[in-house]
Amino acid sequence: ISIINMMKIKLYMIIASFSAVISGVQLHGAITYDGFGYTVGTNLEAADNWVSLNSGTAPVIASGSLTVPGLATSTGNKVSFSSGNIQEALGSLSSVTVGTVYYSFAFSLTSQPTVSAYSFGLATSNTNYGATVWFQASGSGFNIGLAGRTGTPVYSTTVYSLNTTIFIVGAYEFVSGASNDISRLWINPSDFGNGPSYVPPTPNLTNTPGGNDLGGVSQFLIRGTGGSPAGEFDELRVGATYAAVTVPEPDAAVLLGTLGILGLLRRRR
């Protein structure tokens, strides 16, 4: 193989890698990614790997995507959920019982909660939830909270605005022993992962179960109860590392330079 052909092969591999990021496929050993590229207007429960639980208004697929600056380009559509009691939606994940499970997603609230309640989290067996994300009203906006299971949450003092896209990274760490697993939450982190050995920044919130630990994680939960807010949800990732769920957007200068070199090589053939 000539040096030119070897360079071409390497460049094509780089382009393929960038394309994977742009398309939102699984990277860095991610368990799952869902950009919600399903038919607009259908219930989420009709989508692949999602099931419904209990009664209430079902979350539906809505047109468009939520965008997080610096994160890999959003794909597909998004999920719209009503305020109050909604039909719980559970997305199937690969089962994990050891180590740490990370998740990330983008969301926007379109109405305030009237109670302190959780809307998202990890789950197993349809009923056991962990690293749950909570909301409570504050002024004209809301606070974001975290609970290890579904007990008392700890809240950030920052007030977030309605109709604003917020990026969340969460984690549930299985710790040997009883009632000592650790949940962590990053709110609008500016540091995105760069490989599986990347060390995450300090989380905004940390909490422990306050009760029994989860026996494992095999689902992701979207829910609402009386007083829960309405909003939109998008770009769900679940993986074994922080980097797996914070796939950064490719550097534009590097990508353009790579495309330029590839063009020159093609003209030399």
PDB file of all heavy atoms in Angstrom, residues 148-166:
ATOM      1  N   GLY A 148     -31.389  10.078  45.694  1.00  0.00           N
ATOM      2  CA  GLY A 148     -30.755   8.797  45.427  1.00  0.00           C
ATOM      3  C   GLY A 148     -31.760   7.762  44.960  1.00  0.00           C
ATOM      4  O   GLY A 148     -31.491   6.957  44.068  1.00  0.00           O
ATOM      5  N   ARG A 149     -32.941   7.772  45.569  1.00  0.00           N
ATOM      6  CA  ARG A 149     -34.050   6.917  45.139  1.00  0.00           C
ATOM      7  C   ARG A 149     -35.238   7.846  44.866  1.00  0.00           C
ATOM      8  O   ARG A 149     -35.195   8.606  43.925  1.00  0.00           O
ATOM      9  CB  ARG A 149     -34.368   5.882  46.230  1.00  0.00           C
ATOM     10  CG  ARG A 149     -33.310   4.783  46.379  1.00  0.00           C
ATOM     11  CD  ARG A 149     -33.255   3.840  45.177  1.00  0.00           C
ATOM     12  NE  ARG A 149     -34.529   3.246  44.844  1.00  0.00           N
ATOM     13  CZ  ARG A 149     -35.059   2.181  45.435  1.00  0.00           C
ATOM     14  NH1 ARG A 149     -34.394   1.578  46.420  1.00  0.00           N
ATOM     15  NH2 ARG A 149     -36.223   1.707  45.072  1.00  0.00           N
ATOM     16  N   THR A 150     -36.278   7.778  45.663  1.00  0.00           N
ATOM     17  CA  THR A 150     -37.419   8.687  45.504  1.00  0.00           C
ATOM     18  C   THR A 150     -37.720   9.395  46.822  1.00  0.00           C
ATOM     19  O   THR A 150     -38.820   9.904  47.031  1.00  0.00           O
ATOM     20  CB  THR A 150     -38.669   7.915  45.033  1.00  0.00           C
ATOM     21  OG1 THR A 150     -38.939   6.863  45.959  1.00  0.00           O
ATOM     22  CG2 THR A 150     -38.444   7.336  43.650  1.00  0.00           C
ATOM     23  N   GLY A 151     -36.729   9.421  47.709  1.00  0.00           N
ATOM     24  CA  GLY A 151     -36.884  10.074  49.006  1.00  0.00           C
ATOM     25  C   GLY A 151     -36.629  11.561  48.903  1.00  0.00           C
ATOM     26  O   GLY A 151     -36.835  12.191  47.863  1.00  0.00           O
ATOM     27  N   THR A 152     -36.130  12.145  50.002  1.00  0.00           N
ATOM     28  CA  THR A 152     -35.929  13.592  50.054  1.00  0.00           C
ATOM     29  C   THR A 152     -34.826  14.028  49.096  1.00  0.00           C
ATOM     30  O   THR A 152     -33.691  13.560  49.186  1.00  0.00           O
ATOM     31  CB  THR A 152     -35.563  14.023  51.485  1.00  0.00           C
ATOM     32  OG1 THR A 152     -36.585  13.577  52.379  1.00  0.00           O
ATOM     33  CG2 THR A 152     -35.431  15.531  51.572  1.00  0.00           C
ATOM     34  N   PRO A 153     -35.128  14.938  48.165  1.00  0.00           N
ATOM     35  CA  PRO A 153     -34.103  15.402  47.232  1.00  0.00           C
ATOM     36  C   PRO A 153     -33.269  16.537  47.818  1.00  0.00           C
ATOM     37  O   PRO A 153     -33.687  17.207  48.767  1.00  0.00           O
ATOM     38  CB  PRO A 153     -34.930  15.911  46.048  1.00  0.00           C
ATOM     39  CG  PRO A 153     -36.192  16.408  46.684  1.00  0.00           C
ATOM     40  CD  PRO A 153     -36.457  15.483  47.856  1.00  0.00           C
ATOM     41  N   VAL A 154     -32.093  16.742  47.241  1.00  0.00           N
ATOM     42  CA  VAL A 154     -31.320  17.954  47.494  1.00  0.00           C
ATOM     43  C   VAL A 154     -31.483  18.830  46.257  1.00  0.00           C
ATOM     44  O   VAL A 154     -31.457  18.336  45.127  1.00  0.00           O
ATOM     45  CB  VAL A 154     -29.828  17.648  47.758  1.00  0.00           C
ATOM     46  CG1 VAL A 154     -29.660  16.938  49.067  1.00  0.00           C
ATOM     47  CG2 VAL A 154     -29.210  16.836  46.627  1.00  0.00           C
ATOM     48  N   TYR A 155     -31.669  20.137  46.476  1.00  0.00           N
ATOM     49  CA  TYR A 155     -31.943  21.045  45.370  1.00  0.00           C
ATOM     50  C   TYR A 155     -30.801  22.028  45.150  1.00  0.00           C
ATOM     51  O   TYR A 155     -30.170  22.504  46.107  1.00  0.00           O
ATOM     52  CB  TYR A 155     -33.222  21.843  45.635  1.00  0.00           C
ATOM     53  CG  TYR A 155     -34.489  21.144  45.204  1.00  0.00           C
ATOM     54  CD1 TYR A 155     -35.276  20.458  46.125  1.00  0.00           C
ATOM     55  CD2 TYR A 155     -34.899  21.184  43.873  1.00  0.00           C
ATOM     56  CE1 TYR A 155     -36.447  19.820  45.729  1.00  0.00           C
ATOM     57  CE2 TYR A 155     -36.059  20.553  43.463  1.00  0.00           C
ATOM     58  CZ  TYR A 155     -36.833  19.877  44.389  1.00  0.00           C
ATOM     59  OH  TYR A 155     -37.982  19.244  43.993  1.00  0.00           O
ATOM     60  N   SER A 156     -30.561  22.352  43.900  1.00  0.00           N
ATOM     61  CA  SER A 156     -29.676  23.452  43.552  1.00  0.00           C
ATOM     62  C   SER A 156     -30.390  24.766  43.863  1.00  0.00           C
ATOM     63  O   SER A 156     -31.615  24.862  43.716  1.00  0.00           O
ATOM     64  CB  SER A 156     -29.325  23.396  42.057  1.00  0.00           C
ATOM     65  OG  SER A 156     -28.706  24.593  41.634  1.00  0.00           O
ATOM     66  N   THR A 157     -29.642  25.761  44.310  1.00  0.00           N
ATOM     67  CA  THR A 157     -30.261  27.059  44.614  1.00  0.00           C
ATOM     68  C   THR A 157     -30.438  27.912  43.367  1.00  0.00           C
ATOM     69  O   THR A 157     -31.115  28.945  43.415  1.00  0.00           O
ATOM     70  CB  THR A 157     -29.401  27.837  45.627  1.00  0.00           C
ATOM     71  OG1 THR A 157     -28.080  28.011  45.091  1.00  0.00           O
ATOM     72  CG2 THR A 157     -29.316  27.094  46.952  1.00  0.00           C
ATOM     73  N   THR A 158     -29.856  27.501  42.255  1.00  0.00           N
ATOM     74  CA  THR A 158     -29.995  28.260  41.012  1.00  0.00           C
ATOM     75  C   THR A 158     -31.435  28.181  40.507  1.00  0.00           C
ATOM     76  O   THR A 158     -32.054  27.112  40.526  1.00  0.00           O
ATOM     77  CB  THR A 158     -29.058  27.701  39.922  1.00  0.00           C
ATOM     78  OG1 THR A 158     -27.716  27.773  40.390  1.00  0.00           O
ATOM     79  CG2 THR A 158     -29.189  28.479  38.629  1.00  0.00           C
ATOM     80  N   VAL A 159     -31.961  29.321  40.059  1.00  0.00           N
ATOM     81  CA  VAL A 159     -33.302  29.365  39.485  1.00  0.00           C
ATOM     82  C   VAL A 159     -33.174  29.313  37.963  1.00  0.00           C
ATOM     83  O   VAL A 159     -32.511  30.158  37.356  1.00  0.00           O
ATOM     84  CB  VAL A 159     -34.063  30.632  39.917  1.00  0.00           C
ATOM     85  CG1 VAL A 159     -35.448  30.672  39.264  1.00  0.00           C
ATOM     86  CG2 VAL A 159     -34.184  30.694  41.433  1.00  0.00           C
ATOM     87  N   TYR A 160     -33.807  28.321  37.354  1.00  0.00           N
ATOM     88  CA  TYR A 160     -33.752  28.140  35.907  1.00  0.00           C
ATOM     89  C   TYR A 160     -35.046  28.642  35.267  1.00  0.00           C
ATOM     90  O   TYR A 160     -36.125  28.566  35.879  1.00  0.00           O
ATOM     91  CB  TYR A 160     -33.512  26.669  35.576  1.00  0.00           C
ATOM     92  CG  TYR A 160     -32.171  26.176  36.083  1.00  0.00           C
ATOM     93  CD1 TYR A 160     -32.062  25.597  37.351  1.00  0.00           C
ATOM     94  CD2 TYR A 160     -31.016  26.337  35.336  1.00  0.00           C
ATOM     95  CE1 TYR A 160     -30.831  25.168  37.837  1.00  0.00           C
ATOM     96  CE2 TYR A 160     -29.782  25.901  35.816  1.00  0.00           C
ATOM     97  CZ  TYR A 160     -29.708  25.326  37.065  1.00  0.00           C
ATOM     98  OH  TYR A 160     -28.488  24.917  37.551  1.00  0.00           O
ATOM     99  N   SER A 161     -34.939  29.128  34.050  1.00  0.00           N
ATOM    100  CA  SER A 161     -36.075  29.744  33.364  1.00  0.00           C
ATOM    101  C   SER A 161     -36.866  28.722  32.556  1.00  0.00           C
ATOM    102  O   SER A 161     -36.314  27.732  32.055  1.00  0.00           O
ATOM    103  CB  SER A 161     -35.589  30.849  32.418  1.00  0.00           C
ATOM    104  OG  SER A 161     -34.899  31.855  33.118  1.00  0.00           O
ATOM    105  N   LEU A 162     -38.155  28.971  32.421  1.00  0.00           N
ATOM    106  CA  LEU A 162     -38.988  28.155  31.557  1.00  0.00           C
ATOM    107  C   LEU A 162     -38.591  28.369  30.096  1.00  0.00           C
ATOM    108  O   LEU A 162     -37.991  29.381  29.732  1.00  0.00           O
ATOM    109  CB  LEU A 162     -40.466  28.515  31.742  1.00  0.00           C
ATOM    110  CG  LEU A 162     -41.068  28.271  33.130  1.00  0.00           C
ATOM    111  CD1 LEU A 162     -42.512  28.750  33.161  1.00  0.00           C
ATOM    112  CD2 LEU A 162     -40.982  26.802  33.521  1.00  0.00           C
ATOM    113  N   ASN A 163     -38.943  27.409  29.256  1.00  0.00           N
ATOM    114  CA  ASN A 163     -38.713  27.475  27.810  1.00  0.00           C
ATOM    115  C   ASN A 163     -37.238  27.682  27.458  1.00  0.00           C
ATOM    116  O   ASN A 163     -36.901  28.351  26.480  1.00  0.00           O
ATOM    117  CB  ASN A 163     -39.560  28.598  27.191  1.00  0.00           C
ATOM    118  CG  ASN A 163     -41.045  28.402  27.451  1.00  0.00           C
ATOM    119  OD1 ASN A 163     -41.620  27.387  27.079  1.00  0.00           O
ATOM    120  ND2 ASN A 163     -41.651  29.365  28.132  1.00  0.00           N
ATOM    121  N   THR A 164     -36.367  27.101  28.271  1.00  0.00           N
ATOM    122  CA  THR A 164     -34.926  27.164  28.059  1.00  0.00           C
ATOM    123  C   THR A 164     -34.362  25.744  28.081  1.00  0.00           C
ATOM    124  O   THR A 164     -34.649  24.975  29.000  1.00  0.00           O
ATOM    125  CB  THR A 164     -34.243  27.995  29.156  1.00  0.00           C
ATOM    126  OG1 THR A 164     -34.781  29.324  29.135  1.00  0.00           O
ATOM    127  CG2 THR A 164     -32.737  28.069  28.933  1.00  0.00           C
ATOM    128  N   THR A 165     -33.554  25.398  27.078  1.00  0.00           N
ATOM    129  CA  THR A 165     -32.980  24.058  27.035  1.00  0.00           C
ATOM    130  C   THR A 165     -31.890  23.909  28.086  1.00  0.00           C
ATOM    131  O   THR A 165     -30.977  24.738  28.173  1.00  0.00           O
ATOM    132  CB  THR A 165     -32.393  23.758  25.644  1.00  0.00           C
ATOM    133  OG1 THR A 165     -33.447  23.805  24.678  1.00  0.00           O
ATOM    134  CG2 THR A 165     -31.756  22.373  25.611  1.00  0.00           C
ATOM    135  N   ILE A 166     -31.978  22.858  28.880  1.00  0.00           N
ATOM    136  CA  ILE A 166     -31.021  22.567  29.937  1.00  0.00           C
ATOM    137  C   ILE A 166     -30.457  21.167  29.696  1.00  0.00           C
ATOM    138  O   ILE A 166     -31.200  20.243  29.328  1.00  0.00           O
ATOM    139  CB  ILE A 166     -31.690  22.646  31.321  1.00  0.00           C
ATOM    140  CG1 ILE A 166     -32.159  24.089  31.582  1.00  0.00           C
ATOM    141  CG2 ILE A 166     -30.730  22.194  32.431  1.00  0.00           C
ATOM    142  CD1 ILE A 166     -33.029  24.235  32.813  1.00  0.00           C
TER     143      ILE A 166
END
